[in-house]
Amino acid sequence: MDALKIIIVDDETRVRTSLRHLISMYYPTATVVAEAGDVESAFTEITKHSPDVVLLDIQLSGRSGFELLQKLVPVNFKLIFVTAFNQYALQAFKFSAIDYLLKPVNPEDLVSALQKA
């Protein structure tokens, strides 16, 4: 497993905590370098840290993860969507997402997605 710098973007604190915990348990060579709960802070953290991977929710406090991606063109990281909404998968892959995980996240699916990165 290669070391990855990861940023978690989700507006729910418990989801960010859960993902951080799953990463530390199942993919210990990865480092969560930042977390964000909205589009603005996510943009700031991604620009600041230049992550290898971003775990991104679709709905972020009344805005969307897609709005964030439009601000970041070109996207210079691997993108894994983590969401409760299955209807956005096609749109996610148009942004070159390497995986689309539905909540609650299965640890094996998360590890598989991170290995793709």
Side-chain angles (χ1 to χ4, degrees), residues 7-56:
I7 293 180
I8 300 170
V9 181
D10 196 298
D11 59 348
E12 296 180 59
T13 303
R14 66 176 179 75
V15 172
R16 293 193 311 265
T17 301
S18 175
L19 287 170
R20 188 176 350 98
H21 179 72
L22 288 174
I23 291 166
S24 69
M25 283 185 60
Y26 294 96
Y27 209 96
T29 59
T31 302
V32 176
V33 294
E35 296 179 15
D38 58 54
V39 170
E40 291 79 17
S41 60
F43 180 83
T44 300
E45 294 299 336
I46 290 168
T47 304
K48 177 180 173 183
H49 293 284
S50 300
D52 300 309
V53 178
V54 172
L55 302 179
L56 180 62

